[in-house]
Amino acid sequence: QLWICNSSAAPVSCAAEVTIGPFSAAPDFAATVTAEVPPGQAELAWSIPRDGYSAGPDRYAWVISPNGAFAPNRHFFGEIKDVKFGPGYVESEVVRTSADQAVVRVLATGFNYFVRIPTPSLDVRFSDNYFDLRDGDLAEIAARGLTEDVRDDQLRAASGLS
């Protein structure tokens, strides 16, 4: 099931893309969903019968909002200790946008659980950290509060799987 919650004071109209698939290959199920959610409410936006998809510790479900109404989310079909992620790694590039700001571009190969960027200083803040990326996903993370002591190599992303 996919539930969409609206904690705002205004109605929300949004779209969602749901995929289900194995960690080792492209998703084998996809659905596009639209929902109208009244203020302060949660609505069941989509569901599928249990026999409509395959589930196991080698598979996951993923939901995104094409218009950015909500952050991507995932569901694993097993306890985290039993999940079979398969090989995955990330490559990152740091692009300085000013003396105290940068963008860290992170490209995933394979499924990457809990991608993180180390915090080299208490002053550094990231727009996102500790997130999942699927094969081919690109994340652009803003870093603020950089000082001259912070080197680009200190901002390299790593997968939680490595």
Side-chain angles (χ1 to χ4, degrees):
Q1 294 180 338
L2 172 64
W3 287 78
I4 298 181
C5 302
N6 177 5
S7 58
S8 74
V12 169
S13 176
C14 67
E17 293 175 1
V18 178
T19 56
I20 300 173
F23 292 107
S24 61
D28 50 23
F29 176 88
T32 301
V33 178
T34 57
E36 304 285 332
V37 186
Q41 299 291 314
E43 295 283 330
L44 176 61
W46 174 83
S47 66
I48 186 172
R50 177 64 183 93
D51 61 358
Y53 64 96
S54 177
D58 62 332
R59 300 174 60 78
Y60 67 98
W62 188 269
V63 61
I64 63 168
S65 170
N67 63 358
F70 56 85
N73 205 338
R74 49 88 174 126
H75 173 75
F76 299 137
F77 296 106
E79 297 290 326
I80 198 71
K81 66 182 179 58
D82 299 325
V83 172
K84 296 176 174 49
F85 290 107
Y89 64 92
V90 295
E91 297 176 42
S92 59
E93 171 190 24
V94 177
V95 178
R96 294 282 180 150
T97 56
S98 70
D100 66 341
Q101 296 183 28
V103 172
V104 182
R105 292 189 179 123
V106 185
L107 178 63
T109 298
F111 190 98
N112 287 268
Y113 174 66
F114 261 25
V115 173
R116 69 202 177 286
I117 304 168
T119 304
S121 160
L122 294 176
D123 298 326
V124 176
R125 298 288 183 257
F126 298 105
S127 59
D128 199 1
N129 214 350
Y130 293 91
F131 50 90
D132 297 345
L133 292 174
R134 298 169 300 163
D135 187 49
D137 283 353
L138 174 67
E140 293 192 348
I141 309 303
R144 294 179 179 76
L146 304 176
T147 63
E148 58 189 38
D149 300 347
V150 178
R151 300 180 321 272
D152 288 359
D153 66 333
Q154 292 176 295
L155 301 174
R156 298 285 177 198
S159 172
L161 300 174
S162 57

